[in-house]
Amino acid sequence: MAKPIPSPLYEKIPQKNTLHRALDLTIFFLLLSLLAYRLLSLKNNGFTWLLAFLCESWFTFIWILNLSSKWNPVSYKTYPERLLQCYRVDELPPVDMFVTTADPMLEPPIITVNTVLSLLAVDYPANKLSCYVSDDGASPLTFYALLEASKFAKLWVPFCKKYGIQTRAPFRYFSRELLPSHDNSTEFLQEYRKIMDEYEELRRRIEDATLKSISYELSTADFVAFSNIKKGSHPTIIKVILENKESRSDGPPHLVYVSREKDPKLPHHYKAGAMNVLTRVSGAMTNAPFMLNVDCDMYANNPQIFHHAMCLLLGSKNEQDCGFVQFPQCFYDGLKDDPFGNQLVVLYKYVGSGIAGLQGPMYGGTGCFHRRKVIYGLWPDGRTEIKGRSGKLTDERIQKTFGNSKEFTTTAARILSGLSGISHCTYDLLNRVEAAQQVATCSYEYGTSWGTKIGWLYGTTTEDILTGMRIHARGWKSTDCRPDPPAFLGCAPSGGPAALTQQKRWATGFLEILFRKNSPFIASFTAKLQFRQCLAYVWLISWGLRSIPELCYLALPAYCIMAGSHFLPKVQEPAVLIPISLFVSYNFHTLFEYYGAGFSIRACWNNLRMGRITTVTAWLFGFFSVILKLLGLSETVFEVTKKDQSTTPGEGSDKDAGRFTFDGSLIFVPATTLLLVHLMALVTALLGLFDHVGIESRIGEIICSVWVVLCFSPFLKGLFGKGKYGIPTSTISKSVALALLFLACTITVRK
């Protein structure tokens, strides 16, 4: 029995944001004033005025969503030191840990290995933990790396726990703590040098295997399953790499390698499919009541993360208040001033805290602790997706929902009944591999509710948002946890192509959610998704839609200059103060947020310009991808983001590290075209070409055009850059053709 709780395990603390609210409302009223002015003067102006009105109406709508999402920020303070005052160590619940990887070339095995090692070494009883690694590429290289890492783990885990090491990813520990200061004893220094040498040897072996300078025999017992592997076509491979047979609390936890069956003729549903396989495999083997999932690059940075999560999961008076615990995504060795605008610190600090004050943070796809029964479709009031709103929980209904594996459905029934673990069976993993293999086949899900009502949901490349929204729609709330130091750290995409590829995948997946039957609007009216939580989801999943009005608005100044028109009030009109005030207020508001988050003015500017670049490149292509899918012309594809591991803190200070890079992708064409159009417009304004009203009458449009050129300065530099820092000639050629077409259309309209 748990001891009576003497003090709460966590506190929910409302945050004061009076000044932020005032700034937000100021911008909102300025937007309304601008719309009112547009509407009143619409008859006296032409097409450009109408287009500006439509774009600004959209911007106002987005600002309302933003305002609602940020209005009631909260934070959660956890007290992990109180957890063991309330629960004995043997009373702490088991947790199954999931690590997902898909391609050893884009996600190097040494990154996955460090993430796994950091999880195996957390401060939590090892006999309560099991780590499952999903390798969607069925790579013998990844399996070899995990095999070698398992040997090192037998040294690393006891070393971390014996000396209370804080940084438990070896590549970070040995690069940042070269002269450990917390213990200078001879014994520690000897062990430290031994462990460091062992890790260097491990790293060397994995790198050699990656470079093919050493080979692993595929004919040996460990690797024979990989001998006939083809990309996208292979049988299920499940290997128990480490097993804590003695159930020791201080040794390494279970470690299981999982590669699900793939058939090129059958859909595999990308990461969502892999997560559902991990859920079933772990359910058949260990069946812990809680699950943690992380991406392969998100290592455990805080050894107390499990205690922090359990404070929220076990400390809630009502389980409904904590369906899952989401830790924010943070990144290590972030480039100075965030040149690619992808560190997300300000987003989490303001919007994330605001959403936490509604129904709770959205599921971010990594760094999240789930209740297994919630993933299995349980409602807070005890109803399940199995029996709908009424009816008896029968074996037949369970099998129809969860599949025809008797071993797995038995464990699922235990979870839904409030139990966990494997009934009448010790954790002998090897004896349960056969049952696990059955639930990892391609055909297992046919005729079941996997991906539609239970598990990670299918139909989008952002399965995390859709799955989290479904959980909220059942009436569950979620909690946000931000311990110090951060719980997990990963590597942010670097360079132009990687950063934009990630943004394109997000925008595509978000729009897939918006245009499906489970959109937040429907969930708000037919289920238990709270209205303001619905607005928060709409704010996020409408990213791709923003590309069209923003592209039109960005093109307006250049069009007006070349067409002899205008979309802003003239300088002598008092109404010109409205857009000027709006411009100043918005930029001051953005600067205020970045300053409050500890960023520089340069970082604020980098994020402002990357916001414009991302919208007319990645989000625009995400929008087109979904349109083509809706028309039945193509299917969306899950694109894996390339991961790069920085091994020394100094790597982020390289002078070229923050430079924008390019490749031959079409994604760079719209931004390059937009830049060329504005350069042409400025040249025509300066030279007085096609001009009959004077430059002073369109000074506002000229200033806006200069601002757009400044926002796209990485592309301006790319026009003259070389190698990966230069825009390819093929991209420039396409952009020149489109810019000339825009000019021709403008001249035609002018005539």
Side-chain angles (χ1 to χ4, degrees):
M1 289 290 293
K3 304 173 187 177
I5 299 180
S7 302
L9 296 179
Y10 74 91
E11 287 183 86
K12 184 178 181 180
I13 306 170
Q15 297 179 4
K16 294 182 179 180
N17 65 335
T18 306
L19 185 55
H20 276 94
R21 285 182 176 182
L23 287 171
D24 287 339
L25 288 174
T26 299
I27 294 172
F28 176 59
F29 286 122
L30 285 171
L31 282 167
L32 291 180
S33 300
L34 183 59
L35 290 180
Y37 170 71
R38 293 272 188 212
L39 202 56
L40 292 172
S41 55
L42 196 58
K43 291 183 179 179
N44 301 324
N45 295 278
F47 163 74
T48 55
W49 210 259
L50 175 62
L51 183 58
F53 173 75
L54 294 175
C55 293
E56 288 156 2
S57 298
W58 173 260
F59 300 151
T60 304
F61 171 68
I62 293 299
W63 193 257
I64 292 172
L65 299 180
N66 181 64
L67 200 64
S68 172
S69 301
K70 293 163 56 178
W71 194 254
N72 299 108
V74 301
S75 61
Y76 289 86
K77 181 175 178 58
T78 52
Y79 300 98
E81 68 278 1
R82 297 177 183 173
L83 186 64
L84 294 181
Q85 297 173 13
C86 308
Y87 297 87
R88 296 195 309 269
V89 172
D90 62 340
E91 291 179 320
L92 293 175
V95 181
D96 288 336
M97 306 178 289
F98 303 156
V99 180
T100 51
T101 184
D103 188 326
M105 297 298 106
L106 295 176
E107 299 170 328
I110 191 63
I111 293 180
T112 304
V113 159
N114 272 276
T115 297
V116 169
L117 288 170
S118 70
L119 291 172
L120 297 181
V122 293
D123 287 337
Y124 203 75
N127 57 338
K128 301 282 187 176
L129 298 175
S130 304
C131 183
Y132 296 84
V133 180
S134 170
D135 175 20
D136 247 15
S139 166
L141 175 59
T142 301
F143 178 64
Y144 170 78
L146 290 172
L147 268 182
E148 294 299 313
S150 69
K151 303 170 188 174
F152 177 72
K154 296 175 182 178
L155 301 173
W156 176 246
V157 173
F159 172 75
C160 289
K161 294 187 175 181
K162 179 179 179 181
Y163 294 106
I165 305 301
Q166 288 300 302
T167 305
R168 302 202 177 177
F171 86 104
R172 298 293 290 174
Y173 177 67
F174 292 119
S175 66
R176 298 180 65 183
E177 300 185 27
L178 296 178
L179 294 173
S181 58
H182 71 285
D183 191 330
N184 290 320
S185 66
T186 303
E187 180 186 13
F188 169 77
L189 292 175
Q190 287 177 344
E191 287 195 52
Y192 172 85
R193 294 189 184 99
K194 176 185 175 183
I195 298 293
M196 183 170 63
D197 291 342
E198 289 290 338
Y199 176 69
E200 286 302 313
E201 179 62 21
L202 167 68
R203 186 177 61 81
R204 184 191 61 78
R205 288 197 299 269
I206 293 174
E207 288 181 353
D208 287 347
T210 304
L211 297 171
K212 300 284 195 286
S213 56
I214 67 168
S215 61
Y216 30 80
E217 284 293 334
L218 293 180
S219 59
T220 60
D222 284 333
F223 291 93
V224 68
F226 297 92
S227 56
N228 294 314
I229 292 293
K230 294 180 181 179
K231 186 175 182 180
S233 177
H234 54 79
T236 301
I237 304 173
I238 298 178
K239 299 279 189 179
V240 178
I241 298 176
L242 273 177
E243 185 173 6
N244 190 351
K245 291 184 178 180
E246 296 81 16
S247 194
R248 293 175 51 192
S249 61
D250 59 345
H254 303 314
L255 176 60
V256 182
Y257 172 89
V258 180
S259 184
R260 57 183 170 141
E261 181 188 18
K262 278 191 176 180
D263 186 325
K265 298 178 182 178
L266 299 174
H268 56 84
H269 303 293
Y270 309 112
K271 184 180 176 181
M275 291 300 301
N276 283 335
V277 168
L278 285 178
T279 303
R280 294 195 297 270
V281 167
S282 64
M285 298 183 79
T286 48
N287 203 37
F290 298 103
M291 305 179 294
L292 163 69
N293 87 278
V294 296
D295 289 341
C296 66
D297 64 309
M298 301 294 290
Y299 73 85
N301 181 62
N302 186 329
Q304 288 282 309
I305 50 174
F306 282 71
H307 290 84
H308 286 284
M310 290 305 152
C311 284
L312 293 161
L313 291 164
L314 303 179
S316 301
K317 294 180 181 179
N318 186 347
E319 278 191 350
Q320 179 179 356
D321 292 335
C322 189
F324 61 84
V325 177
Q326 179 65 59
F327 293 85
Q329 291 189 45
C330 302
F331 305 99
Y332 59 83
D333 287 351
L335 296 173
K336 184 181 179 182
D337 297 327
D338 193 13
F340 302 110
N342 56 7
Q343 294 179 19
L344 308 179
V345 176
V346 173
L347 181 71
Y348 280 117
K349 180 176 176 63
Y350 296 104
V351 181
S353 296
I355 296 174
L358 303 177
Q359 207 169 338
M362 302 170 190
Y363 169 40
T366 182
C368 187
F369 284 82
H370 296 274
R371 296 183 190 272
R372 187 181 287 268
K373 64 183 180 182
V374 174
I375 293 296
Y376 282 1
L378 194 72
W379 291 60
D381 58 7
R383 291 175 293 171
T384 68
E385 293 288 354
I386 297 173
K387 56 186 180 182
R389 304 286 172 166
S390 63
K392 186 179 179 182
L393 188 64
T394 64
D395 291 343
E396 181 182 355
R397 287 182 178 272
I398 291 178
Q399 287 193 9
K400 187 175 181 180
T401 303
F402 288 93
N404 57 11
S405 167
K406 185 177 180 181
E407 292 88 347
F408 173 66
T409 53
T410 300
T411 67
R414 287 178 61 82
I415 289 293
L416 294 173
S417 301
L419 305 173
S420 63
I422 309 298
S423 177
H424 308 299
C425 178
T426 58
Y427 289 106
D428 187 351
L429 299 187
L430 290 174
N431 288 338
R432 304 196 66 81
V433 169
E434 185 177 350
Q437 287 180 326
Q438 181 186 356
V439 299
T441 60
C442 289
S443 58
Y444 183 81
E445 293 184 352
Y446 281 100
T448 71
S449 295
W450 287 101
T452 55
K453 293 184 177 180
I454 62 172
W456 274 256
L457 302 187
Y458 301 152
T460 172
T461 56
T462 51
E463 75 297 322
D464 45 3
I465 297 298
L466 180 59
T467 302
M469 187 177 71
R470 187 62 175 267
I471 292 171
H472 284 139
R474 293 192 190 110
W476 292 97
K477 294 182 179 179
S478 54
T479 52
D480 178 61
C481 189
R482 306 186 188 196
D484 185 21
F488 301 96
L489 291 179
C491 50
S494 60
L500 295 180
T501 294
Q502 184 183 65
Q503 291 282 346
K504 179 189 173 221
R505 187 180 75 237
W506 289 348
T508 302
F510 293 159
L511 283 180
E512 287 174 324
I513 297 172
L514 186 64
F515 293 131
R516 62 179 283 141
K517 61 181 180 180
N518 291 324
S519 73
F521 290 116
I522 296 174
S524 181
F525 287 106
T526 63
K528 294 188 176 182
L529 185 68
Q530 296 176 7
F531 180 68
R532 286 182 61 198
Q533 187 77 14
C534 165
L535 295 182
Y537 274 109
V538 173
W539 173 83
L540 181 71
I541 65 178
S542 62
W543 279 8
L545 289 181
R546 302 182 199 182
S547 58
I548 300 301
E550 186 145 346
L551 179 61
C552 293
Y553 207 69
L554 287 170
L556 263 179
Y559 174 84
C560 290
I561 292 171
M562 292 189 288
S565 180
H566 68 97
F567 78 104
L568 293 172
K570 295 180 179 179
V571 178
Q572 60 270 26
E573 295 179 14
V576 75
L577 294 175
I578 298 176
I580 291 175
S581 300
L582 185 57
F583 178 83
V584 172
S585 299
Y586 176 77
N587 285 284
F588 175 76
H589 171 274
T590 306
L591 180 60
F592 182 75
E593 286 192 335
Y594 277 86
Y595 180 79
F599 282 89
S600 65
I601 296 176
R602 180 64 180 267
C604 176
W605 165 246
N606 286 339
N607 278 264
L608 275 171
R609 64 176 175 80
M610 279 306 301
R612 307 289 73 74
I613 291 171
T614 300
T615 304
V616 300
T617 53
W619 293 3
L620 181 65
F621 272 73
F623 172 78
F624 286 141
S625 295
V626 174
I627 294 299
L628 291 175
K629 179 181 178 179
L630 292 174
L631 294 174
L633 299 177
S634 72
E635 285 294 323
T636 55
V637 177
F638 189 97
E639 298 174 90
V640 178
T641 307
K642 190 178 189 307
K643 311 292 193 304
D644 295 307
Q645 186 183 69
S646 173
T647 54
T648 60
E651 285 188 24
S653 60
D654 182 75
K655 66 177 183 178
D656 289 330
R659 290 183 63 184
F660 207 87
T661 56
F662 303 87
D663 60 20
S665 171
L666 290 175
I667 203 170
F668 295 104
V669 172
T672 308
T673 303
L674 191 64
L675 173 67
L676 293 175
V677 164
H678 277 278
L679 291 176
M680 287 193 304
L682 290 173
V683 168
T684 60
L686 291 173
L687 298 180
L689 302 176
F690 315 123
D691 211 349
H692 64 279
V693 292
I695 195 172
E696 64 281 352
S697 63
R698 292 195 299 279
I699 189 65
E701 284 75 13
I702 292 173
I703 292 174
C704 288
S705 189
V706 171
W707 176 258
V708 173
V709 171
L710 289 174
C711 286
F712 288 84
S713 56
F715 284 77
L716 184 61
K717 295 176 183 177
L719 291 175
F720 306 99
K722 295 183 178 180
K724 65 178 182 179
Y725 301 112
I727 301 175
T729 305
S730 59
T731 301
I732 295 176
S733 300
K734 296 182 182 75
S735 299
V736 168
L738 290 172
L740 291 174
L741 179 62
F742 182 89
L743 177 62
C745 293
T746 303
I747 294 174
T748 302
V749 171
R750 186 186 179 101
K751 291 179 179 179

